[in-house]
Amino acid sequence: MARVVEKWLDNPVLRGVLRFCTVRDACGRRVELALRKYAGEDVRICHSCSAAYHIIAGILDSIIGKAKLDRPTIQLHLRDPMWRKGLASVLEGIAKYGISRPFTGFSPFLVVWNVTRACNLDCVHCYESARTRAPDELDTQRAKDVVKKLAEAGVAYVAFSGGEPLMRPDFFEIAEEVRQNEMAFSLATNGTIASPQIARELKDLGCAFVQVSLDGASAGTHDAFRGTTCFDRTITGIRNLVSAGLCVGVATTVTKQNLAEVPSIVDMAEDLGAMLFMHYNFIPTGRGAAMKEKDLDPTEREDLLTWMANQIGKRKLNLLSTAPLYSRICAGTGRLSLTHFDTFGQNPELAESAKFLADFVGGCGSSRLYCALEPNGDIEPCVFIPIVLGNILHDDLLDIWHNHRVLKTIRKRENFKGYCGICEHRSICGGCRARAFGYFGDLTESDPGCILNQQIWQSVTKPTVKAVQIKA
């Protein structure tokens, strides 16, 4: 059935109709207005927008019928701005690019925004080399202007990162602006200043997710990564966030230094009430460029991700990874994940849908589903890829999104070098472009972290630390 829907959506006639429905005119974003009306909102629209509404409603009703979905449930989801904006981007993306593997949205669904380089820690692996506030960091008003620009572009979700975002005195003011502009937001934090009051404020603002970095199951290991004594404060912060009723995840950048502790970190995260564990790929950029020898070799990474995939369904939390190859491993163990970065496919009832959708949304989302912003408004493909594409204050985000050569390069996976370019799992993986760039300065190179690229790994590094094994 999913393939029937795909063929139907990629019909040239339908794409022409969608182009009419996805015009942005004086009324606003035509397709989003149509989705608001479909969801049951009282929306006043012009004749052209009314025609677009009837077309969109017909398309959605047809898809719902073909896929045997529940219309009231879909309408309920579309009342959520994040879902609505996301679907609008998908429909606009189909109108512009067709059904492509992997899929590119008309606008970034997600923007990861490093709102500051200020930080109260001094992490050895920090991709942002964060410590002190940058002199050109956006002030409050300009940050609010950026929020409006993101909303106008059709962005659905803002992921605040840093540095430590909570070091900005105006963080909650900026987060409120995001909410007022009908975008969802999340927070990546080190947890050390996540007091009960801050946790309550995040909950009251509707923060969708809080990710807390925890790089060891013991104080010695965690503090060695973080450059100061902070383990107990991080654990307290996690407890405060969970107690406030927030969706909390624990994130661990795994290297040879803490690989053996990963099962204990997962146990700890589960005991603390976290809803997911996120394995972060080590990326040799920022301060992390000085510790390449601590990176996992491909076999260690394969074993770790296989262990994680085999934990799915046995834990109260979900286990995810920023490594695109996790999708391949999950598929190989029969525990399919829609992407390496989601929980959708870890629901057995949705596995069939996940298998179909993984070809479209799977793998690295940079240039297709998300991009990044620096504290001064610079636009980058990913927080781990320090290539400036423009600045959101004076450059058009959508023009960069559609036309910048760097983003086009990342999207063309068939042009990737080594095994990444020919791999049968290319559409659900594609390799980590940040690792390719970090090791080779070339976005099209093979991901040296994948076991299928073992030969290229040996050509770029000779690990000096004895390999670590993780117990199944």
Side-chain angles (χ1 to χ4, degrees), residues 63-231:
I63 292 174
I64 287 170
K66 290 178 185 294
K68 298 180 180 180
L69 300 174
D70 179 54
R71 191 176 196 265
T73 301
I74 298 299
Q75 290 175 307
L76 179 63
H77 283 313
L78 289 177
R79 293 184 192 121
D80 182 330
M82 182 184 73
W83 280 83
R84 187 171 61 247
K85 288 175 182 288
L87 180 55
S89 181
V90 168
L91 292 173
E92 289 176 315
I94 293 172
K96 185 172 181 65
Y97 296 110
I99 298 290
S100 56
R101 286 187 172 91
F103 181 75
T104 298
F106 185 84
S107 54
F109 171 78
L110 163 72
V111 169
V112 182
W113 188 0
N114 295 327
V115 288
T116 186
R117 284 200 180 97
C119 191
N120 58 333
L121 304 183
D122 195 21
C123 303
V124 296
H125 56 311
C126 180
Y127 63 84
E128 193 74 353
S129 298
R131 187 56 177 166
T132 58
R133 181 177 180 174
D136 58 351
E137 179 178 298
L138 300 176
D139 60 23
T140 304
Q141 187 53 55
R142 288 191 172 183
K144 289 182 176 181
D145 292 342
V146 166
V147 172
K148 291 183 174 66
K149 287 177 180 290
L150 294 177
E152 289 167 1
V155 173
Y157 194 107
V158 177
F160 288 112
S161 190
E164 172 52 59
L166 295 175
M167 293 285 285
R168 279 194 69 133
D170 59 356
F171 171 76
F172 286 102
E173 194 173 345
I174 299 170
E176 171 64 23
E177 189 72 18
V178 169
R179 184 173 74 162
Q180 290 296 325
N181 280 272
E182 296 193 316
M183 293 180 288
F185 79 93
S186 63
L187 169 68
T189 174
N190 60 45
T192 60
I193 53 179
S195 65
Q197 179 182 348
I198 284 176
R200 285 193 299 271
E201 288 186 66
L202 288 168
K203 179 66 175 178
D204 290 344
L205 270 177
C207 181
F209 175 65
V210 183
Q211 176 180 280
V212 184
S213 297
L214 181 65
D215 287 317
S218 63
T221 303
H222 177 75
D223 293 348
F225 275 85
R226 297 283 146 182
T228 189
T229 302
C230 64
F231 180 77

Side-chain angles (χ1 to χ4, degrees), residues 76-397:
L76 179 63
H77 283 313
L78 289 177
R79 293 184 192 121
D80 182 330
M82 182 184 73
W83 280 83
R84 187 171 61 247
K85 288 175 182 288
L87 180 55
S89 181
V90 168
L91 292 173
E92 289 176 315
I94 293 172
K96 185 172 181 65
Y97 296 110
I99 298 290
S100 56
R101 286 187 172 91
F103 181 75
T104 298
F106 185 84
S107 54
F109 171 78
L110 163 72
V111 169
V112 182
W113 188 0
N114 295 327
V115 288
T116 186
R117 284 200 180 97
C119 191
N120 58 333
L121 304 183
D122 195 21
C123 303
V124 296
H125 56 311
C126 180
Y127 63 84
E128 193 74 353
S129 298
R131 187 56 177 166
T132 58
R133 181 177 180 174
D136 58 351
E137 179 178 298
L138 300 176
D139 60 23
T140 304
Q141 187 53 55
R142 288 191 172 183
K144 289 182 176 181
D145 292 342
V146 166
V147 172
K148 291 183 174 66
K149 287 177 180 290
L150 294 177
E152 289 167 1
V155 173
Y157 194 107
V158 177
F160 288 112
S161 190
E164 172 52 59
L166 295 175
M167 293 285 285
R168 279 194 69 133
D170 59 356
F171 171 76
F172 286 102
E173 194 173 345
I174 299 170
E176 171 64 23
E177 189 72 18
V178 169
R179 184 173 74 162
Q180 290 296 325
N181 280 272
E182 296 193 316
M183 293 180 288
F185 79 93
S186 63
L187 169 68
T189 174
N190 60 45
T192 60
I193 53 179
S195 65
Q197 179 182 348
I198 284 176
R200 285 193 299 271
E201 288 186 66
L202 288 168
K203 179 66 175 178
D204 290 344
L205 270 177
C207 181
F209 175 65
V210 183
Q211 176 180 280
V212 184
S213 297
L214 181 65
D215 287 317
S218 63
T221 303
H222 177 75
D223 293 348
F225 275 85
R226 297 283 146 182
T228 189
T229 302
C230 64
F231 180 77
D232 290 340
R233 285 182 288 151
T234 298
I235 297 300
T236 299
I238 294 173
R239 289 197 174 104
N240 291 337
L241 295 163
V242 170
S243 295
L246 289 156
C247 176
V248 179
V250 165
T252 303
T253 300
V254 183
T255 70
K256 291 179 182 292
Q257 291 173 271
N258 60 355
L259 175 58
E261 292 188 23
V262 169
S264 297
I265 296 172
V266 174
D267 289 342
M268 183 176 291
E270 197 169 48
D271 292 342
L272 287 168
M275 297 186 71
L276 63 86
F277 167 80
M278 179 71 75
H279 154 256
Y280 261 77
N281 242 353
F282 166 76
I283 310 293
T285 189
R287 284 199 289 269
M291 50 181 290
K292 289 182 180 180
E293 76 281 357
K294 303 293 179 63
D295 192 5
L296 302 183
D297 66 44
T299 300
E300 290 170 325
R301 183 173 283 99
E302 190 85 1
D303 290 346
L304 167 63
L305 295 179
T306 300
W307 177 84
M308 287 174 55
N310 285 322
Q311 296 297 304
I312 295 173
K314 303 175 184 178
R315 298 275 187 169
K316 291 182 289 184
L317 47 62
N318 288 296
L319 293 95
L320 308 178
S321 172
T322 65
L325 61 95
Y326 189 48
S327 294
R328 167 180 63 78
I329 290 173
C330 285
T333 58
R335 294 168 173 83
L336 184 68
S337 185
L338 173 59
T339 74
H340 56 295
F341 209 72
D342 86 291
T343 59
F344 178 87
Q346 296 189 7
N347 181 341
E349 296 178 1
L350 301 174
E352 183 178 353
S353 297
K355 186 175 182 180
F356 165 69
L357 290 171
D359 279 346
F360 300 100
V361 299
C364 176
S366 173
S367 83
R368 302 184 304 105
L369 303 175
Y370 75 86
C371 62
L373 286 180
E374 284 294 285
N376 66 350
D378 281 347
I379 303 166
E380 296 179 346
C382 167
V383 293
F384 297 107
I385 301 176
I387 300 175
V388 177
L389 310 177
N391 188 286
I392 196 167
L393 292 179
H394 50 74
D395 295 310
D396 185 272
L397 176 60

Side-chain angles (χ1 to χ4, degrees), residues 389-430:
L389 310 177
N391 188 286
I392 196 167
L393 292 179
H394 50 74
D395 295 310
D396 185 272
L397 176 60
L398 287 181
D399 180 55
I400 288 173
W401 183 253
H402 293 299
N403 300 312
H404 202 287
R405 61 174 181 81
V406 168
L407 300 184
K408 288 182 176 181
T409 296
I410 295 173
R411 290 171 190 150
K412 293 181 179 178
R413 295 185 180 180
E414 65 274 15
N415 292 339
F416 291 171
K417 299 173 183 176
Y419 204 80
C420 284
I422 61 172
C423 182
E424 63 179 310
H425 305 287
R426 190 175 65 197
S427 61
I428 66 171
C429 177

